[in-house]
Amino acid sequence: MAHFGTALVALALTAPTAAAFTSPAAFSPAAVPAAFSPDAAPAVARVWVTTPDGALRLADRGTVAFGRAGADVPTVVVDPGRRFQTIEGFGASITDSSAAVLYRLTPAARDAVMVSLFRDDKLSYLRQPIGASDFTDEPAYTYDDVPAGQTDYALRHFSIAHDRAQILPLLRRARELNPYLKIMATPWSPPAWMKTNGSLVGGRLIDSPRVYQAYAAYLVKFVRAYRAEGVAVDALTIQNEPQNRTPSGYPGMDLPSWQAAEVIERLGPMLRAAGLSTKILGYDHNWSEHPNDAANTPADSVADIDHYPQELLATPAARWISGTAYHCYYGDPSAMTALHDEFPRKDIYFTECSGSRSSDPAHTFSDTLKWHARNLIIGSTRNWAKTVINWNLALDETNGPHTGGCGTCTGVVTVASDGTVTRNAEYYTLGHVARFLRPGAVRVAGTSFGTTGWNGQIQDVAFANPDGSTVLVAHNQNDNPQTFGVRFGDRSFTYTLPGGALATFVWSGRSGDRPLDPAGWTATGSGTDAALAVDDDAATRFTTGTPQRPGQYLQVDLGRVQPVGRIVFDTGASVGDTPRGWAISVSADGRRWAEVATGSGGQFASATLSRGQFRHVRLTLTAADPAAWWSVADVRAYRRAHR
């Protein structure tokens, strides 16, 4: 957990209202209509909705029918043929504090909470502290504490006995309830005898090969000890928030990238030699470096300022690193896509974000729902995150117990002193994905009009399950209801989402489309101040300045001559910036062109091609409004169907 900066000031999150704890109906195959078939075009989508006022909380709202006619509303296009990262799971952390408050309940009540979290809500990924964090119900500890002035390089005093009382039983129970559960682990501090200041709070690792070796051995010993207790550790990071050099009274450490590399160079071979498949993740800190952290950077690590993951992945230690872990407390999720673009073979994980009580507690549920939906559930997964992990699984009504650090953090659930358990907004935001995505689910392409920076539009992300079902999670950023469309192949539906609401749509069936891979496409365009970009979910984003003029165009080179069956130019959701009149032309060589379709206005300009092979496609403005601009949000091309 980091100190809270401007990112969480913007959250304005608040505390929950006490409510009786009852287990909601879990999503199950029985909830899917019989009309769902993976081999046919979809007939209906089922919808679950949570509203900011809490009136609807993952409420089953029945089905909405697909039809063939499109609607004149902003339309999300889900394209299952364009695939991105495989999702590994969603969850939180059973911190020492979470375990303590859960153990204040009777055994039956405690198990009811675990059932609700791991069987009903289907939480599937936990990030576990290695030793104490800021959320600890006792003095800080590691698994190899010795008296001041002593050392234990042989790790003879290593013991995880502390965790056997509460943490390990909860982890085993969580896995019983969800056999697909994965666990990663993260230290807030190595043992004090390994550090420059002899304390768990602050300081650095002693710059010594013997210490690097001992720390790597300590982490391997932890993984082996947990495995012996029946808890496999899927992934490790070697330091929580390595650029938070001045933790406020809780364990922490400055670990520059060059020291992280020294540890990982030893840790990787040790894990392999021990027969452990545990992955190593780097960094484990904010999307961007907090200015306070940057200002306190020592001279030997200035290269890490806003560049830590890149510095680490540029070292020889990168061969042992599977991916990079991120937190939410400063910056924007787009930092994860930027890193992915630099290191596309390394995975991205989102590993910590806490909700926080608002200045007006009555607003906590609403504010948390909206911010987490926008930045975590949708924003992070659209930026390559394989996981979304909140912070504390459970806290008490005073947002504790905790040692230093955050005094306003909220857990996924709140356990009050009278035994009342309240599901917070985090329970529902996580549930909107965890309940519906199956192991092996993959993010797929989908138009999204909303942004993490908030623009009041519909924001969404889409996934494909191995069983043939498609999951679309949509958030209405506006406080007013908005109607939008969803297109899947040649079928579509419309839905009106309440203001600020989060919804999950699930349907089964094939889209019938065989999309062309946009990798390697290039585009050119004409128009005043024309801007052109290519990103993960769109083949191109093109915007002209004003005025519109007939003859302005967007041209895309598909990389090679090939049989194209359909081409679609998607102008997006902005009202007023669509082409007033348009023509689509195709060419094999870029010199001789054939016009294949014309039209006017609307979100989609498309052409169906029954024969011939082409490499170039062009959208040309044939009628214009000189007071407006025009844009294309996405270009999609599909293979010709076999006959």
Side-chain angles (χ1 to χ4, degrees), residues 448-493:
S448 183
F449 306 125
T451 63
T452 54
W454 192 91
N455 64 357
Q457 304 268 18
I458 296 292
Q459 183 188 16
D460 60 85
V461 63
F463 306 92
N465 276 322
D467 65 2
S469 61
T470 300
V471 177
L472 177 71
V473 182
H475 169 50
N476 179 5
Q477 294 186 1
N478 203 293
D479 289 337
N480 298 314
Q482 291 197 78
T483 300
F484 66 104
V486 175
R487 176 176 288 187
F488 185 74
D490 62 355
R491 301 182 70 81
S492 63
F493 65 81

Side-chain angles (χ1 to χ4, degrees), residues 372-394:
H372 283 219
R374 190 170 77 246
N375 291 280
L376 306 189
I377 302 305
I378 300 175
S380 288
T381 53
R382 286 191 73 93
N383 282 280
W384 291 95
K386 296 169 73 74
T387 58
V388 173
I389 306 174
N390 282 43
W391 188 202
N392 291 277
L393 187 74

Side-chain angles (χ1 to χ4, degrees), residues 96-143:
D96 187 89
S97 295
S98 294
V101 299
L102 288 171
Y103 266 82
R104 294 173 189 171
L105 297 169
T106 66
R110 179 168 62 250
D111 199 60
V113 176
M114 295 293 287
V115 166
S116 180
L117 290 163
F118 295 99
R119 190 192 68 188
D120 298 345
D121 220 34
K122 296 192 182 332
L123 299 190
S124 54
Y125 213 113
L126 290 171
R127 174 174 177 257
Q128 292 306 117
I130 300 176
S133 68
D134 46 329
F135 280 86
T136 303
D137 190 27
E138 58 191 294
Y141 63 93
T142 73
Y143 302 124

